Amino acid sequence: MNFDIFAPDFGTLPSAYLERSAITNPTELFWSNELLALLRLCGAKEEMIGERASDYDRFLSVFRALPLLEEHPTRAWIASVLDKHFHLTELPTEATAPSVWRTLCDSLMQHPIAPKDLVCGSWLCDGLTVPNCIPEQITPVLDAGLLLQTNVRSAAAWSAEIASTVGHFADRGCQKILFCIDKDFDFVSPSRYHVDRALSLTKKDRNAANLLICQLMREICIAAQEHDLMLVLDCAGDPSALAHLLKYVEENVQLPRLCWSVRRVYDTAPLLAFCAKPHKNEILAALSYESVMTEDELSAALTSWKVRYPIARLCYLTARDLRQTPHAQAHILDMLKKSKTKI
């Protein structure tokens, strides 16, 4: 099996984060509420990590705690940041932390790091709007619930609006988009007449919403296919309903390159069976990452998948919470490198 790392295609990030000033302080590279909680669990003193603590004290506290985090993804993430941006292949110790602090300060003063360079994630688009700043690592999220709140009242105008939005993402260098479908989704084959009627409703019932979601999927697939974008699909609902939706789109307008998130390997037979069949375009099945997954659990899931379905390629979709994403990505890479099983 070959693996692709999509890091990540879940989570939300406010656009304002990308507009922050560049990072010139080494502690800002790592600091978060999650790291603060982790340091407290490791026994760090509050005066060294609390609100009154200096940046240098916090920095020292991080590297004092790292020896206690041997297999923790946070350790792997910090190591990856230091290696990628500063070419430090070994983690600092308490003894070497002062000299590393000076090295990082000098480097950041000369070459500050923009927040977007540290972020691998996605943001939730507010309806059909396109932020001006879209880093390569970030994937736009189109949420069905928000897109159904459109003021457009005709299928033709809605189609043009969707095509324009996806086109803007492609023009800004996005290589994939994420489409989130509600967990209550059920397949309803759309027609132009019924789409117009559903859009004209002030308050849409479940049937109207499902019909419009199917039309949304169709329009997004057309636009993604035109711009050669990968469509990453997230649906927590019935896998058989989603399999019907994919079959409908493929038969009518052709699917783009598609990646679908499999959350429970043993309960997704209809979709896995659909993905395993030959298709006109590339369809990838994806195993969503959970931070509690061990190497044995990973191997068991992959073995079951490989035996049941002839899927030759897997993608990893990492953690849902954006703040956990770099940790999850580093953990996946570390786990695969150390894996005792042949994958």
Side-chain angles (χ1 to χ4, degrees):
M1 293 184 177
N2 298 320
F3 285 81
D4 294 318
I5 304 291
F6 288 90
D9 291 303
F10 293 96
T12 59
L13 177 70
S15 297
Y17 180 90
L18 302 174
E19 298 169 3
R20 293 193 327 170
S21 58
I23 295 173
T24 57
N25 183 330
T27 305
E28 289 184 17
L29 293 168
F30 317 118
W31 202 255
S32 67
N33 291 334
E34 288 72 23
L35 180 58
L36 178 61
L38 196 59
L39 293 178
R40 285 173 175 153
L41 287 174
C42 291
K45 295 180 180 180
E46 196 64 26
E47 59 265 26
M48 296 293 289
I49 59 175
E51 291 183 1
R52 297 184 178 182
S54 68
D55 290 325
Y56 180 67
D57 286 339
R58 288 180 170 182
F59 184 82
L60 286 179
S61 298
V62 171
F63 292 101
R64 284 172 181 161
L66 287 186
L68 303 176
L69 303 173
E70 184 64 36
E71 297 297 328
H72 199 280
T74 297
R75 178 187 170 102
W77 172 58
I78 291 175
S80 68
V81 171
L82 293 176
D83 184 17
K84 177 181 178 181
H85 295 281
F86 305 98
H87 308 293
L88 297 175
T89 56
E90 294 185 5
L91 282 172
T93 63
E94 185 176 356
T96 61
S99 63
V100 172
W101 168 268
R102 290 191 293 271
T103 299
L104 297 186
C105 285
D106 291 343
S107 178
L108 289 172
M109 288 301 293
Q110 295 180 30
H111 304 288
I113 295 178
K116 67 179 184 179
D117 294 331
L118 287 175
V119 173
C120 292
S122 55
W123 68 71
L124 187 63
C125 300
D126 184 12
L128 291 173
T129 60
V130 183
N132 291 323
C133 177
I134 301 181
E136 292 182 2
Q137 304 99 315
I138 292 188
T139 297
V141 179
L142 300 177
D143 183 86
L146 288 175
L147 298 184
L148 294 186
Q149 297 174 17
T150 178
N151 294 322
V152 172
R153 292 293 178 261
S154 75
W158 200 36
S159 173
E161 195 175 56
I162 296 167
S164 175
T165 297
V166 175
H168 282 311
F169 285 130
D171 292 342
R172 284 165 171 75
C174 290
Q175 298 179 351
K176 53 185 179 289
I177 55 176
L178 175 67
F179 182 41
C180 295
I181 298 178
D182 189 55
K183 64 180 180 180
D184 297 327
F185 168 74
D186 196 9
F187 176 71
V188 180
S189 181
S191 69
R192 185 57 63 97
Y193 169 73
H194 289 106
V195 171
D196 283 336
R197 287 195 60 185
L199 285 171
S200 67
L201 297 175
T202 304
K203 189 174 182 180
K204 300 172 180 61
D205 59 20
R206 191 65 250 171
N207 285 334
N210 284 333
L211 183 144
L212 290 176
I213 288 173
C214 292
Q215 182 68 15
L216 255 178
M217 178 69 175
R218 174 189 173 115
E219 298 297 338
I220 289 174
C221 284
I222 292 173
Q225 178 78 1
E226 180 181 348
H227 296 284
D228 194 27
L229 298 177
M230 171 172 277
L231 177 61
V232 184
L233 197 59
D234 174 35
C235 180
D238 181 12
S240 61
L242 190 55
H244 282 303
L245 176 60
L246 296 183
K247 184 177 180 182
Y248 159 77
V249 175
E250 185 173 52
E251 290 175 349
N252 285 270
V253 297
Q254 188 175 345
L255 287 168
R257 292 185 302 128
L258 180 72
C259 178
W260 185 81
S261 170
V262 177
R263 298 198 184 158
R264 295 175 299 181
V265 174
Y266 302 101
D267 299 334
T268 54
L271 192 77
L272 284 173
F274 176 85
C275 292
K277 294 178 181 178
H279 296 279
K280 294 179 181 178
N281 219 331
E282 188 177 39
I283 299 178
L284 309 177
L287 184 64
S288 60
Y289 171 83
E290 300 292 343
S291 58
V292 296
M293 184 180 288
T294 66
E295 183 184 320
D296 290 339
E297 290 168 337
L298 171 66
S299 298
L302 296 179
T303 301
S304 169
W305 221 357
K306 191 174 182 180
V307 169
R308 289 183 174 206
Y309 308 99
I311 295 175
R313 197 168 170 203
L314 291 178
C315 301
Y316 260 115
L317 304 184
T318 60
R320 287 187 158 278
D321 185 346
L322 177 71
R323 293 166 297 182
Q324 295 296 331
T325 295
H327 304 176
Q329 181 189 19
H331 184 54
I332 289 171
L333 293 171
D334 191 53
M335 187 163 54
L336 291 177
K337 287 177 183 177
K338 295 180 179 178
S339 178
K340 299 174 184 176
T341 57
K342 272 197 170 183
I343 300 176

